[in-house]
Amino acid sequence: MGERGGGAMSDGNSARVEGPRCIALVGPFASGKTTLLEAILARTDAINRQGTIAEKNTVGDASPEARAHQMSVEANIAETDFIGDQFTFIDCPGSIEFGFEAAPILAGVDLAVVVAEADDKKIPALQVILKGLEDRGIPRILFLNKIDKTEVSVRQTLEMLQSASSVPLVLRHIPIRQNDVVTGFIDLA
């Protein structure tokens, strides 16, 4: 019997049977990881109101240096419950200067949420992140962020991001737009 991320394992396999889920938020610099964490915490009632980077009132990036530079300079940890399960989220810095922070964290997570956006300048950084997760055998999902701030279609974005991944990317949701505003999504699963 072994343990990973605090959860007990069963009969020598890697199937997790109990304990809180530990999820790393990773992605290129300024892709919206801290904002996503804030949204998750607000939607699961872990916090009363969603803070913003600009207002310097987020749960993550609370250090004076992070707030002054408006970017993560260290890993930030937050917990929440959702539908009876406990989740620990670790928001990892995306800036190359602080990328070393993610390595020890990734050794103990159950899943990585890779936060990306439709920005071809960030593809090289995204490629490094995805390759590192693949090499470590870490399950991962890609969270396409800032879809409300781009003119690029979801299909074009998927094609752009595919160049960063050695495995096929598959859509789970497609946004519904009305008058250039995202109003919902279609669940493809």
Side-chain angles (χ1 to χ4, degrees), residues 4-15:
R4 178 179 165 125
M9 307 297 242
S10 62
D11 36 34
N13 68 24
S14 62

Side-chain angles (χ1 to χ4, degrees), residues 5 17 20 27 63 78 93 121 124-125 137 142 149 167:
V17 294
S63 72
K121 292 183 255 15
L142 189 72
K149 297 178 179 168
V167 297

Side-chain angles (χ1 to χ4, degrees), residues 32-100:
K33 298 172 295 297
T34 302
T35 301
L36 175 61
L37 176 62
E38 230 15 63
I40 290 168
L41 295 175
R43 302 306 178 286
T44 59
D45 295 326
I47 57 176
N48 294 333
R49 134 177 158 38
Q50 184 173 336
T52 67
I53 302 295
E55 292 177 11
K56 301 179 181 181
N57 62 356
T58 55
V59 170
D61 294 349
S63 72
E65 183 180 0
R67 295 234 163 124
H69 291 48
Q70 294 190 347
M71 65 180 233
S72 297
V73 297
E74 61 206 358
N76 292 278
I77 302 169
E79 293 181 341
T80 190
D81 293 312
F82 183 68
I83 312 176
D85 288 322
Q86 185 181 12
F87 295 89
T88 299
F89 287 93
I90 306 175
D91 177 14
C92 299
S95 174
I96 194 161
E97 298 88 353
F98 301 105
F100 66 91

